[in-house]
Amino acid sequence: MSTNELAELRNKIDEVNLQILSLLNQRAEIVQEIGTQKEKQGIIRFDPVRERQSLDLINENHNGPFETSTIQHIFKEIFKASLELQEDNHKKALLVSRKARPENTIVDVNGETFGDGSQRFIMGPCAVEGYEQVRSVAKAMKEQGLTLIRGGAFKPRTSPYDFQGLGIEGLQILREVADEFGMSVVSEILTPQDVEQALDYVDVIQIGARNMQNFELLKTVGKVKKPVLLKRGLSATIDEFINAAEYIISQGNDQIILCERGIRTYEKATRNTLDISSVPILKQETHLPVVVDVTHSTGRKDLLFPTAKAALAIGADAIMAEVHPDPAVALSDAAQQMNIPEFNDFIDKLQEFKDKLA
Ligand code: PEP
Ligand code: MN
């Protein structure tokens, strides 16, 4: 074969490649159109019966030099890529995504904004144990100029025999103390039935890690006009976390704050592993503010300050941490809550760090 002939054949191959490329793109456009139709009709995208028919048609008509199994493999790859294309379209359409809303959503909690670049502190005891306990934390917070108080009235405990929280009485205590000091209440609600009553007491409804995929609860808080702080599940991927937020926004409530609180890994040095990179990922992929809970992610007092610094430096919209007037006798998370002097030191040092960042 002369060099000329070889060059000619290679040119032909290039032409065929371009034809295949053009056909693949034509096919992709049809696939996208099918995806849109299926979405309108509420039909799921993957249809194995249809895929079998397509493969049979290809097999019946295949008589070239390739093995049938090779042809099947190539077409199955094309089918797979097409399905991914439809899923990408679906992803683009998520209401929590930056693609759907390029600008930040600002969550406004009685004038304390999240998502506008300010960096806030949500502090308070793990659980509400009594009026005096909450009041002494609130007083210390107020002296530091902080107004977002947290505290669990309904506690999701690993053991059913552990302190389960004071329930509505706990919410009443939080409200009373918050009103006295002009503060806002962040508190966890465990069931859809409790949401309505809680609206009278809380300013932000917290959905705990153990409930991140409690879809009925997510749908219920999606229907109310109250900010929601959604915590990442113990073993949830970022994609699952984003979809949990989508459950809320899909019902109409866009006042959602995402909270990275560490995930379960094989590492035992910390209670959970703080996935710090989830902060910029969540902020890139969604338009929602992101909070870092340094208490539950580390479970270690000595790591609260360094992880909080990391969170502020990486762009978190707020830091959450637990404070108790006497942690040694706390009914939950005794080992990891700060006492009041530790809290003051923590805030002073972080305010200083914030000023340096600015
Ligand atoms: C809490 O913040 O009170 C709590 C129980 O945390 P998590 O749901 O992240 O475990
Ligand atoms: Mn706790």
Side-chain angles (χ1 to χ4, degrees):
M1 193 186 284
S2 73
T3 26
N4 262 355
E5 272 174 304
L6 186 61
E8 210 173 294
L9 288 173
R10 282 181 169 161
N11 281 341
K12 273 190 185 162
I13 286 283
D14 281 341
E15 265 171 42
V16 172
N17 281 347
L18 291 178
Q19 280 172 25
I20 293 173
L21 178 66
S22 156
L23 285 170
L24 280 175
N25 282 326
Q26 270 181 44
R27 191 183 187 285
E29 278 166 23
I30 300 168
V31 160
Q32 281 175 318
E33 179 58 26
I34 291 174
T36 314
Q37 293 297 329
K38 279 186 174 175
E39 192 160 321
K40 271 192 203 145
Q41 294 174 34
I43 303 172
I44 52 162
R45 292 182 174 78
F46 178 60
D47 182 349
V49 177
R50 168 74 191 136
E51 190 162 319
R52 169 48 54 211
Q53 284 169 350
S54 301
L55 275 182
D56 286 347
L57 183 70
I58 290 158
N59 288 347
E60 282 159 23
N61 289 281
H62 167 57
N63 54 10
F66 279 121
E67 295 275 351
T68 305
S69 61
T70 307
I71 288 291
Q72 282 216 14
H73 174 74
I74 291 168
F75 272 93
K76 281 189 78 112
E77 284 301 312
I78 294 173
F79 295 167
K80 202 170 95 195
S82 303
L83 196 63
E84 279 167 10
L85 195 64
Q86 291 183 346
E87 275 163 4
D88 273 359
N89 276 350
H90 180 62
K91 216 173 191 173
K92 272 180 215 141
L94 280 191
L95 295 170
V96 290
S97 70
R98 278 261 176 231
K99 283 178 193 124
R101 192 189 288 173
E103 70 280 8
N104 283 352
T105 285
I106 313 283
V107 177
D108 189 328
V109 183
N110 302 322
E112 295 267 333
T113 44
F114 294 76
D116 61 355
S118 41
Q119 295 185 298
R120 314 259 175 215
F121 295 100
I122 304 170
M123 311 288 292
C126 180
V128 175
E129 295 166 6
Y131 175 80
E132 279 311 323
Q133 174 235 16
V134 174
R135 194 177 181 281
S136 52
V137 175
K139 190 165 168 288
M141 286 178 64
K142 193 67 192 186
E143 279 161 17
Q144 285 283 2
L146 307 184
T147 63
L148 299 156
I149 189 164
R150 60 144 288 141
F154 296 93
K155 294 300 296 174
R157 303 306 300 280
T158 301
S159 163
Y161 308 116
D162 285 341
F163 176 58
Q164 303 285 304
L166 298 179
I168 288 292
E169 191 198 333
L171 293 185
Q172 285 163 347
I173 292 172
L174 282 166
R175 185 73 270 155
E176 193 181 332
V177 172
D179 286 347
E180 180 187 344
F181 290 104
M183 298 171 89
S184 300
V185 171
V186 181
S187 199
E188 176 164 0
I189 300 304
L190 293 177
T191 71
Q193 302 88 278
D194 289 333
V195 170
E196 203 179 311
Q197 201 181 2
L199 298 178
D200 295 338
Y201 305 102
V202 307
D203 301 290
V204 178
I205 300 172
Q206 179 171 319
I207 305 291
R210 288 154 195 82
N211 268 322
M212 190 206 80
Q213 284 189 322
N214 182 337
F215 300 119
E216 290 310 313
L217 183 57
L218 297 176
K219 284 191 260 180
T220 304
V221 299
K223 290 187 186 106
V224 300
K225 283 197 164 46
K226 214 32 118 172
V228 176
L229 185 139
L230 176 66
K231 297 190 99 177
R232 181 173 180 181
L234 308 177
S235 305
T237 63
I238 289 174
D239 196 49
E240 288 163 340
F241 191 19
I242 289 175
N243 272 290
E246 185 73 10
Y247 264 88
I248 301 172
I249 205 171
S250 68
Q251 302 299 312
N253 188 357
D254 72 347
Q255 294 287 288
I256 306 165
I257 303 166
L258 301 173
C259 179
E260 164 61 42
R261 47 79 70 209
I263 46 174
R264 188 165 281 182
T265 69
Y266 51 79
E267 184 52 65
K268 296 265 194 293
T270 48
R271 177 168 162 179
N272 289 289
T273 299
L274 173 59
D275 180 9
I276 196 73
S277 56
S278 75
V279 178
I281 295 173
L282 290 166
K283 290 189 72 73
Q284 277 163 33
E285 299 222 339
T286 80
H287 47 79
L288 301 173
V290 181
V291 172
V292 172
D293 173 345
V294 290
T295 298
H296 295 97
S297 50
T298 65
R300 284 175 53 159
K301 268 207 235 188
D302 60 333
L303 298 182
L304 299 178
F305 180 60
T307 50
K309 276 199 298 186
L312 291 174
I314 212 165
D317 296 283
I319 303 294
M320 179 186 268
E322 290 181 348
V323 190
H324 191 288
D326 188 358
V329 298
L331 294 174
S332 55
D333 287 350
Q336 67 206 39
Q337 302 196 60
M338 288 178 273
N339 62 27
I340 307 273
E342 285 164 342
F343 155 77
N344 280 322
D345 191 46
F346 177 79
I347 298 294
D348 287 344
K349 277 162 52 191
L350 283 179
Q351 297 286 19
E352 207 176 293
F353 182 73
K354 258 171 73 170
D355 292 342
K356 264 192 254 162
L357 279 181

